[in-house]
Structures are given as C-alpha cells and as structure tokens.
Amino acid sequence: MTISDVPLLDEAAELLGEFDVAVDADKRARKQQQKRDIENAERAIENMQVEGMVTASDIAGNFAERAASMTTAERAAGDRSWAYGHVVVDEAQELSPMQWRLLARRCPLRSFTVVGDIAQASSPASADSWDRALQSLLGRRRRAASSETGPWRLEELTVNYRTPSQIVDYAERVARDSGLRITPSRSVRASEWPVREVAAPVGERGAATVVVEAVAFDRDIDSTGTLAVIAPDALVPALARALGDRFPGDVALGTSSLTAPISVLSPATSKGLEFDAVVVVGPHQIRALSSRGNASLYVAMTRPTQRLTVVDVRE
C-alpha cells in the first residue's frame, strides 16, 4: 500500500462503513492476549510463592493498562473517527483533492493552517492555485479577492532568508520564462559568487565529465560545506559513480546520508532540503520529466544557500 492509497481507503470506509471482520479479529486478539497474560501471571505467582497476596487477574489487568497507554498519535491512527480542533498542513501544495477530503473529515471545524508553495508542486494531482486546492477542503471558493474576507485568508511570504539574491533572481527569471506562476521574493542578503552556467554534451559519459569538473571547481572554493548534484533520474546513477571515483568516500546516493559532503539527488528527492552549494544538471531534461517539470526545476534551483551551478546538457 502507498500513501496515495490511504485517502482512497478512507473514502471507501466513509461510504461503505468499517470492515467488521477486522474489528472482530482485533477483539479476538485482545481476548487471547488477556488469556496469555493471566497464565503468565499465575506462573509468576507460583514461582514467587505469593499465593493469596495478589491474584492473577489483578496482574493481568496491570498488563492491559500499560498496553492501553498509547500516545495520542497511536490512538488517532487506530481510530478512523478521531478528529482534531485544528490541523497544520505542511507541503500542502502536494495534496490531491482526495487527500483534502480525508483531512476535512479529521477536522469538522475546518480550522486549518496550510503552508506550501504552489509553484513547487510536483504531484500530478496537485492544484494549480490555492483557490482550487482549498475548494476540496471548504466546498467553495474564496468569496472575494481581499485577504481579510471569505472562508480563508492568504498570507504570502515575500522575504527570503535562505537563498542569496543572485540565485533568487536567476531561479525566478527561469520560472517566469517557463510560464510558472510564482510569488516574487526579496532576499535579505547577497552572495559573492554569481550563478555559473556551463555546457555539457548529451550522453552519460560527457555529462558526467563536466559535472565532476563543476563539483571539483566548487569544492576548491569550499571543501567543508555540503554540495548536492540534482539531475534527472536517468542520469543520477552514472553521476554518482563518476563522482564516487573522483571523490571516494564523500558521495552519497539519494537521501541515504545527508551528512555526506556530496549528495546526488533527483529533483523529487531534493524537495525540502538545503545545501551550501548545488549543481543542477540538465534543466531542459528536468523540465521534460513530467507536466510539473518546470516546478521541479524551480525546486532544484532554490536548494542552495551559497552557490549555484547550472550544467546545460544539449547537443
């Protein structure tokens, strides 16, 4: 079962009702466990020679009480009807309409704090605006353009504390040129390093050679920081091998070790992460990955906190 299956199963349970066989099986399991607890308690009483001082049922009851002391998250996970007074949703741009319906059932008051960036949505089921996304949650669109009216209020964060202005300007220009709707931001700082653009020939070998040189160039600037190579999925294994040969022991594939000096990632696995330096490989190939390719490229270009290198892979 995948995460995408969960809202479908929840919707089916809402329409068809709970599966009683599972409930009965749980009851049988608890009854059998209680029987085992009593048998274990009887043997313990006999071994410790405390007959008459305590009963097996009392000891078994203590076992049951300890087993029932679950956390709130555990109790909520085991009870589909569990509801909350307020729900905070992070990376909300990735949610599908079915996932929004599931969340609506968990919060009957419709009291939500929703955090995300529509421009970074990578899921095919994601909405292209907050108005459409929240329509599944609220059942209606915002009644007015004013941020103080309607069933929900939009607050846009326009100050960027992480990414230097050179990288912000570059990434936003690329996003606008590709037709991606973004909220322009103002960076609070600049970097001493401009965005580097280098060219690489099509093909794993030629691209790997140029990428290794680009990484070596950046490591000469700072060999102690973290660096990510973000490339289309098809190029990731070859780039990881080439970089591993040049920098043995320093390269990690995917998110297997984010403390490694050099990580090789796809755009999807880089979401939500940050690195001192980033080498984005094949922007045109990243755009062509899916209908959300422009968003994936925007995500990749906004991961660095210091330096950005773009390796353009073309004929």
Side-chain angles (χ1 to χ4, degrees):
M1 186 175 70
T2 67
I3 293 176
S4 300
D5 295 325
V6 174
L8 299 177
L9 294 173
D10 191 75
E11 188 80 11
E14 184 73 13
L15 297 175
L16 304 176
E18 295 286 354
F19 189 37
D20 292 337
V21 173
V23 176
D24 292 341
D26 184 57
K27 289 180 179 178
R28 287 196 300 271
R30 287 200 300 268
K31 188 174 182 179
Q32 292 171 355
Q33 182 62 50
Q34 183 183 23
K35 182 180 178 181
R36 288 192 294 269
D37 289 343
I38 291 177
E39 292 174 350
N40 292 334
E42 289 174 344
R43 285 193 292 270
I45 290 173
E46 183 179 351
N47 293 334
M48 292 184 293
Q49 298 180 351
V50 291
E51 293 88 345
M53 299 176 62
V54 66
T55 67
S57 297
D58 290 339
I59 296 177
N62 290 333
F63 291 159
E65 288 178 5
R66 285 197 293 272
S69 59
M70 298 183 294
T71 66
T72 301
E74 291 170 338
R75 293 168 63 190
D79 183 359
R80 202 187 66 80
S81 64
W82 190 279
Y84 298 88
H86 186 80
V87 172
V88 178
V89 186
D90 194 15
E91 296 289 347
Q93 74 276 2
E94 302 296 343
L95 270 60
S96 68
M98 291 294 287
Q99 289 172 315
W100 282 117
R101 287 172 63 85
L102 181 151
L103 290 177
R105 286 191 287 271
R106 298 301 182 274
C107 187
L109 296 177
R110 301 295 194 272
S111 178
F112 284 83
T113 299
V114 174
V115 183
D117 184 356
I118 288 290
Q120 296 190 29
S122 60
S123 170
S126 302
D128 58 3
S129 71
W130 287 119
D131 207 33
R132 292 186 179 180
L134 298 181
Q135 190 176 13
S136 300
L137 178 66
L138 302 171
R140 60 194 186 279
R141 297 195 174 198
R142 191 166 41 161
R143 288 193 296 265
S146 171
S147 62
E148 300 299 329
T149 60
W152 58 276
R153 185 176 74 248
L154 175 67
E155 294 288 349
E156 294 186 312
L157 306 181
T158 60
V159 179
N160 192 321
Y161 294 95
R162 180 183 68 188
T163 312
S165 58
Q166 294 96 322
I167 298 176
V168 169
D169 294 343
Y170 184 93
E172 290 186 353
R173 176 175 58 79
V174 172
R176 286 191 298 269
D177 290 346
S178 61
L180 193 64
R181 289 188 293 179
I182 61 172
T183 300
S185 62
R186 176 179 60 83
S187 181
V188 298
R189 64 185 178 89
S191 170
E192 60 182 289
W193 300 284
V195 176
R196 293 184 68 229
E197 292 180 317
V198 295
V202 170
E204 289 184 358
R205 181 176 299 180
T209 299
V210 174
V211 170
V212 168
E213 292 173 355
V215 171
F217 181 91
D218 193 275
R219 299 307 283 174
D220 286 340
I221 296 174
D222 179 12
S223 61
T224 62
T226 57
L227 183 146
V229 175
I230 304 176
D233 296 80
L235 285 178
V236 166
L239 295 179
R241 288 192 298 270
L243 288 165
D245 292 339
R246 176 68 179 272
F247 306 96
D250 287 347
V251 180
L253 181 61
T255 56
S256 59
S257 177
L258 293 178
T259 59
I262 302 171
S263 298
V264 186
L265 310 161
S266 68
T269 53
S270 72
K271 181 180 286 290
L273 304 177
E274 64 177 48
F275 303 88
D276 294 309
V278 168
V279 177
V280 175
V281 183
H284 302 285
Q285 289 80 358
I286 292 176
R287 283 197 185 105
L289 285 174
S290 68
S291 60
R292 299 279 185 171
N294 290 327
S296 297
L297 180 59
Y298 182 60
V299 168
M301 287 183 171
T302 53
R303 297 307 91 199
T305 63
Q306 298 293 336
R307 297 175 300 281
L308 172 64
T309 301
V310 179
V311 178
D312 191 3
V313 180
R314 292 195 183 188
E315 296 290 352

